[in-house]
Amino acid sequence: MGPHVISSTFLWYLCFVLSVVVHVQGSNGWLNAHATFYGANQSPTTLGGACGYDDTFHAGFGVNTAAVSTTLFRNGEVCGACYQVMCDYREDPKWCLISRSVTVTATNFCPPNNHGGWCDPPYHHFDMSMPAFLRIARQGNEGIVPVIYRRVGCKRRGGVRFTLKGQSNFNMVMVSNVGGSGDVKGVWIRGSRSTGAWLSMHRNWGANWQSSADLRNQRLSFKITLVDGKTLVFLNVVPPTWTFGQTFSSKTQFF
């Protein structure tokens, strides 16, 4: 038989199919990044850092947490978001555990050093708690490992938690244990003596939101909108006998 002649139509069709396959593979949400660990000499519950979580267990996140690079941190908007992280065994079979992944909550900021460091823009980087890091990488590696990651929904136990901070007419509320996308876009507060209007709160830093209204001796309700647009109202979640420093948990949760 003579040589086969491949038509231009067939080549066009082949390229089209390959482009579709590549697009489908790329649309599963996995992205490339690198990971390190920190806090080896600290209790992993104290790694709340730039998000303001005093205790990651108290906040509902446990020990599987990470500080994320500038590109991911988004000035604190990412606080509470969840990522599935897997060590890239094909890139580093020496230190990566094969087919192991861990879901971490973003609770801290990995600051840039402006000298080409891994946390400088535009890098995607996870500086993980040591327990989380050792779920995907071998112990003994003091360096850096390649990973792939994707955003995943946060599965929380119990309801959203509101920790009341501040004094007199300066209310600061730490919002934690948020399910769904986990990252909070907006918070509103309302006292039981108000006329029904919601007061917009402003992000003070990380997961802490502030208001200048004096709402002492009132039942407090909250409205939260996540980055993905989902909104829930938490009516009378805080009793009028509240004091600064207390934490209250709602009966409802994002899914």
Side-chain angles (χ1 to χ4, degrees):
M1 295 180 62
H4 294 285
V5 178
I6 301 176
S7 69
S8 59
T9 302
F10 176 78
L11 288 175
W12 177 88
Y13 176 76
L14 181 61
C15 291
F16 172 77
V17 170
L18 288 174
S19 67
V20 170
V21 171
V22 170
H23 174 74
V24 170
Q25 289 177 339
S27 66
N28 62 10
W30 290 99
L31 298 171
N32 294 311
H34 286 84
T36 48
F37 69 86
Y38 76 118
N41 298 319
Q42 299 173 251
S43 167
T45 65
T46 64
L47 304 180
C51 288
Y53 303 120
D54 299 327
D55 183 312
T56 60
F57 263 107
H58 183 256
F61 307 139
V63 299
N64 291 331
T65 62
V68 296
S69 58
T70 305
T71 302
L72 296 173
F73 192 68
R74 305 196 313 272
N75 294 317
E77 189 178 76
V78 76
C79 292
C82 295
Y83 296 89
Q84 184 182 8
V85 182
M86 180 182 295
C87 202
D88 194 341
Y89 184 83
R90 291 180 300 177
E91 291 292 325
D92 192 348
K94 180 179 179 181
W95 294 112
C96 288
L97 296 175
I98 189 170
S99 300
R100 297 285 186 88
S101 70
V102 63
T103 297
V104 296
T105 299
T107 61
N108 206 348
F109 174 52
C110 183
N113 63 19
N114 300 317
H115 297 290
W118 287 108
C119 290
D120 287 2
Y123 294 121
H124 293 201
H125 188 82
F126 295 86
D127 200 13
M128 304 166 69
S129 68
M130 193 170 184
F133 185 83
L134 294 180
R135 293 278 300 275
I136 63 171
R138 301 182 192 281
Q139 191 165 6
N141 176 31
E142 303 300 327
I144 186 169
V145 294
V147 297
I148 57 174
Y149 78 94
R150 63 181 176 181
R151 279 292 302 272
V152 294
C154 299
K155 298 178 181 179
R156 306 298 187 200
R157 294 183 178 180
V160 175
R161 299 175 189 175
F162 302 87
T163 300
L164 306 178
K165 304 179 180 181
Q167 57 185 350
S168 64
N169 65 338
F170 176 72
N171 296 302
M172 189 161 71
V173 180
M174 183 184 75
V175 181
S176 62
N177 201 48
V178 180
S181 71
D183 42 1
V184 176
K185 182 72 173 179
V187 178
W188 293 260
I189 191 171
R190 185 171 69 191
S192 55
R193 294 200 296 265
S194 70
T195 59
W198 289 98
L199 300 176
S200 177
M201 304 189 77
H202 304 282
R203 192 189 303 274
N204 183 289
W205 59 289
N208 293 281
W209 297 78
Q210 72 177 62
S211 166
S212 59
D214 188 349
L215 300 174
R216 289 173 293 178
N217 304 312
Q218 298 185 55
R219 291 189 302 275
L220 302 182
S221 300
F222 295 91
K223 180 169 66 172
I224 295 178
T225 296
L226 303 184
V227 171
D228 65 4
K230 293 181 180 178
T231 300
L232 278 180
V233 173
F234 305 86
L235 293 175
N236 302 320
V237 68
V238 176
T241 54
W242 65 269
T243 58
F244 292 111
Q246 290 183 299
T247 297
F248 299 89
S249 182
S250 70
K251 296 181 179 180
T252 52
Q253 180 61 275
F254 291 93
F255 294 99

